[in-house]
Amino acid sequence: MDDDVDFIRRRYDRIGNLHDLIVRLLFLPFGLRERAVEWIGLRPGDRVLEIGCGTGPNLGLLRDAVGPGGHVYGVDISAGMLTHARALCTRNGWRNVSLSQGDAAAYAAPEPLDGALFSLSYNTMPHHRAVLARTLDQLRPGGRIVVMDAKLPPGFAGRCILPFSIWLMKRTVLGNPHVRPWEHLASATTDFAMQERLFGSYYVCRGSKPRAGDLPDGCDRGA
Ligand SMILES: C[S@@+](CC[C@H](N)C(=O)[O-])C[C@H]1O[C@@H](n2cnc3c(N)ncnc32)[C@H](O)[C@@H]1O
């Protein structure tokens, strides 16, 4: 199911023009992007990173959350997707948004981050564990990571949809429907929470980077 990083880059370079239409056709629930950004808990002046920012549909929301004194960073492996994000920034005159092309696993933000967002991107990255670890390294203690994405609904419905999901993803946005990002986030963070939408076919989850002395929610504190 997992594709190699170069194949993913080429796929997104090709679908850059169609990506936002594809997302709309996949019934992304109304208000889910807003909820994801809200769950990062950003304050004016904060620094935030979107990993796999694509054509930039979240950049305006992130910018509103950090205000003119904050900064939004975006990284994406696809030049084709970033062309649209850059045009959006230019059109809106956003000076405090910096976009970089490259693999998120190698991205280094120029300053410590207060929050990070994976929006429809985590399970397109075959090395998502490495990307998550790198993101956590760059977050200040207490800073939040939010993951928002589609998933299989639970039970029988999910098992019925799985073959169609795999067929569709292979032809469009790629990714691996068997990946369970919420489990990865819960095991690496504190303060974990998750909300599902549209009968469990979309979710948003969040967790905070442990401060000194905290253990991630997934750790057993023992007797
Ligand atoms: C489905 S799109 C989501 C775009 C955007 N975040 C949104 O919410 O619409 C997934 C994005 O992840 C990017 N991506 C995939 N693998 C990546 C990697 N290893 N490093 C950086 N970006 C990556 C793709 O190029 C694509 O733009």
Side-chain angles (χ1 to χ4, degrees):
M1 267 310 327
D2 287 330
D3 301 290
D4 79 74
V5 170
D6 207 47
F7 178 79
I8 294 164
R9 181 182 56 70
R10 280 185 274 116
R11 168 63 59 89
Y12 275 97
D13 280 348
R14 276 218 319 273
I15 66 169
N17 288 329
L18 289 175
H19 177 266
D20 295 357
L21 176 65
I22 295 169
V23 169
R24 246 175 275 145
L25 294 174
L26 292 176
F27 302 111
L28 181 72
F30 183 75
L32 198 60
R33 290 189 187 281
E34 286 77 1
R35 171 50 56 94
V37 170
E38 188 189 309
W39 267 26
I40 311 174
L42 293 166
R43 289 172 302 196
D46 276 354
R47 272 65 185 134
V48 62
L49 169 66
E50 181 173 0
I51 301 116
C53 62
T55 58
N58 301 308
L59 296 176
L61 297 169
L62 292 167
R63 202 178 158 277
D64 287 348
V66 299
H71 206 99
V72 179
Y73 297 96
V75 60
D76 201 285
I77 201 159
S78 159
M81 295 290 277
L82 280 176
T83 300
H84 295 276
R86 290 203 165 104
L88 181 72
C89 293
T90 306
R91 268 201 314 279
N92 288 290
W94 294 337
R95 291 172 185 280
N96 58 343
V97 180
S98 304
L99 302 176
S100 305
Q101 190 205 340
D103 185 344
Y107 177 77
E111 54 187 336
L113 300 168
D114 301 289
L117 173 65
F118 290 86
S119 163
L120 308 175
S121 63
Y122 188 92
N123 82 359
T124 64
M125 301 177 190
H127 52 344
H128 40 258
R129 291 278 203 174
V131 176
L132 179 61
R134 182 152 188 103
T135 305
L136 273 165
D137 278 351
Q138 300 189 68
L139 219 54
R140 65 164 177 76
R144 236 187 227 160
I145 297 185
V146 166
V147 182
M148 180 274 273
D149 216 329
K151 70 175 187 60
L152 292 169
F156 182 67
R159 288 197 295 281
C160 290
I161 290 171
L162 180 61
F164 175 67
S165 297
I166 293 173
W167 180 88
L168 190 64
M169 288 168 89
K170 274 191 171 163
R171 280 154 188 82
T172 55
V173 292
L174 303 174
N176 183 345
H178 298 291
V179 173
R180 298 162 69 87
W182 52 93
E183 291 179 358
H184 305 172
L185 197 60
S187 67
T189 60
T190 58
D191 186 30
F192 176 80
M194 177 165 172
Q195 261 182 15
E196 296 184 340
R197 290 276 181 90
L198 209 63
F199 311 106
S201 59
Y202 280 91
Y203 69 93
V204 54
C205 64
R206 62 137 207 249
S208 304
K209 175 169 174 167
R211 298 173 198 271
D214 287 347
L215 280 178
D217 289 352
C219 288
D220 186 353
R221 280 163 203 274

